[in-house]
Amino acid sequence: MAETKKIKAIHNSECLCWKCLKEHDKSKIHIIEIGALGYNSCFDNLSTRIQLCDDCYNVNPEWWNLETIIPEGFEHFGYMYKYDKEICQFINELPLESQELAWNEYAYGACAGYNMDAQDWIDYQLGIISHEKCKEYGMYSSDEEKAYEERFPTCQHPIEIDYRDSIGCHCPFGAFGKSEDGVVFTKDDMLNDCYGCEYYKKRTVPIIRIKSEDEADYNLYVEYQLNKDRLEQKFGEMLKGVL
């Protein structure tokens, strides 16, 4: 893994501005409590807080009134903040150690995601957290992401599945992605099926296509062929005259 600058977690932010990362007199710090709203908001079922010094607060003071609105056409989806997207983008552009405070340390609610150790959260965003640590949190690791991105498009085993009205792209061992004009791609969301897969084989022949109703039989056939010698050695003599 490429060497990445280590950013240290903040453990005492009482008098700290999360934007400029300077300490100020406590009276100069604005604590902004952002409450959870509905589906339409970036803060759907997610509450958090940020704190800013006078100078950083006064750049966009109207944002921090946290006025709520219901956008036309979204009456059934609940409120959002008038400057909802601007506030979300503002948080996402804070220094990473401050983002950790907003999205992890002080975040709570159904959509708050994982509450991780502060340093682990930062290391995860930097892509330098270990695979083992990711598994402790039940999260995908960068090693798994890399394996899927590099192996799925180049592996022999993914095939096209014809659903009559659409075409899927599946591997008999669980992974799936996309295909177009005989070229295999990963899908938008990350998968971990390719990490450590013992059946990876670099593609040497064009991708094949089967009907969706044949997929289960195809997967069974492939798995048997890849394990044929081992299974014959283990059960061949035992089952002579039985099957």
Side-chain angles (χ1 to χ4, degrees), residues 23-42:
E23 290 192 352
H24 300 263
D25 186 271
K26 193 172 184 179
S27 64
K28 302 292 185 181
I29 291 291
H30 300 261
I31 296 176
I32 304 155
E33 301 285 353
I34 303 174
L37 294 179
Y39 173 77
N40 209 38
S41 171
C42 295

Side-chain angles (χ1 to χ4, degrees), residues 10 12-32 49-59 64 90 93-99 101-102:
I10 296 169
N12 182 8
S13 64
E14 184 178 2
C15 295
L16 188 72
C17 173
W18 295 3
K19 174 66 174 176
C20 64
L21 291 182
K22 295 177 181 177
E23 290 192 352
H24 300 263
D25 186 271
K26 193 172 184 179
S27 64
K28 302 292 185 181
I29 291 291
H30 300 261
I31 296 176
I32 304 155
R49 65 183 279 188
I50 58 175
Q51 56 189 56
L52 302 172
C53 66
D54 282 342
D55 288 342
C56 294
Y57 180 94
N58 287 323
V59 173
W64 313 123
F90 178 87
E93 292 175 354
L94 290 172
L96 189 59
E97 52 267 61
S98 299
Q99 292 181 44
L101 294 169

Side-chain angles (χ1 to χ4, degrees), residues 53-118:
C53 66
D54 282 342
D55 288 342
C56 294
Y57 180 94
N58 287 323
V59 173
N60 299 105
E62 67 278 9
W63 292 4
W64 313 123
N65 293 327
L66 298 179
E67 179 184 351
T68 56
I69 60 172
I70 300 181
E72 185 177 353
F74 292 88
E75 288 80 3
H76 300 292
F77 294 96
Y79 290 92
M80 66 184 297
Y81 292 113
K82 183 177 180 180
Y83 297 100
D84 205 279
K85 289 181 173 56
E86 290 86 350
I87 294 171
C88 186
Q89 183 176 349
F90 178 87
I91 295 175
N92 286 334
E93 292 175 354
L94 290 172
L96 189 59
E97 52 267 61
S98 299
Q99 292 181 44
E100 184 280 319
L101 294 169
W103 294 134
N104 182 59
E105 183 78 14
Y106 288 97
Y108 61 95
C111 294
Y114 299 94
N115 286 115
M116 302 171 68
D117 171 82

Side-chain angles (χ1 to χ4, degrees), residues 190-202:
M190 212 270 288
L191 293 172
N192 65 352
D193 302 85
C194 296
Y195 180 79
C197 178
E198 61 181 305
Y199 298 115
Y200 174 79
K201 180 182 179 183
K202 192 170 182 63

Side-chain angles (χ1 to χ4, degrees), residues 56-218:
C56 294
Y57 180 94
N58 287 323
V59 173
N60 299 105
E62 67 278 9
W63 292 4
W64 313 123
N65 293 327
L66 298 179
E67 179 184 351
T68 56
I69 60 172
I70 300 181
E72 185 177 353
F74 292 88
E75 288 80 3
H76 300 292
F77 294 96
Y79 290 92
M80 66 184 297
Y81 292 113
K82 183 177 180 180
Y83 297 100
D84 205 279
K85 289 181 173 56
E86 290 86 350
I87 294 171
C88 186
Q89 183 176 349
F90 178 87
I91 295 175
N92 286 334
E93 292 175 354
L94 290 172
L96 189 59
E97 52 267 61
S98 299
Q99 292 181 44
E100 184 280 319
L101 294 169
W103 294 134
N104 182 59
E105 183 78 14
Y106 288 97
Y108 61 95
C111 294
Y114 299 94
N115 286 115
M116 302 171 68
D117 171 82
Q119 192 62 55
D120 287 343
W121 189 94
I122 291 172
D123 290 350
Y124 182 77
Q125 303 304 315
L126 292 173
I128 62 175
I129 193 172
S130 70
H131 173 76
E132 292 71 24
K133 182 69 74 171
C134 281
K135 295 299 97 181
E136 290 180 17
Y137 287 110
M139 301 168 69
Y140 291 132
S141 71
S142 58
D143 292 336
E144 290 171 313
E145 182 176 6
K146 182 179 180 182
Y148 177 57
E149 292 292 336
E150 292 182 352
R151 301 183 88 182
F152 185 81
T154 62
C155 184
Q156 182 67 59
H157 297 302
I159 62 171
E160 292 181 337
I161 311 297
D162 187 351
Y163 294 103
R164 294 186 176 87
D165 60 345
S166 63
I167 301 296
C169 186
H170 295 181
C171 166
F173 309 107
F176 58 97
K178 300 177 287 188
S179 66
E180 184 176 339
D181 298 328
V183 179
V184 177
F185 304 92
T186 54
K187 69 186 190 71
D188 295 332
D189 298 323
M190 212 270 288
L191 293 172
N192 65 352
D193 302 85
C194 296
Y195 180 79
C197 178
E198 61 181 305
Y199 298 115
Y200 174 79
K201 180 182 179 183
K202 192 170 182 63
R203 179 175 294 281
T204 56
V205 299
I207 189 170
I208 66 172
R209 181 179 295 186
I210 66 170
K211 296 177 181 179
S212 60
E213 57 265 32
D214 293 331
E215 184 177 8
D217 284 344
Y218 176 85

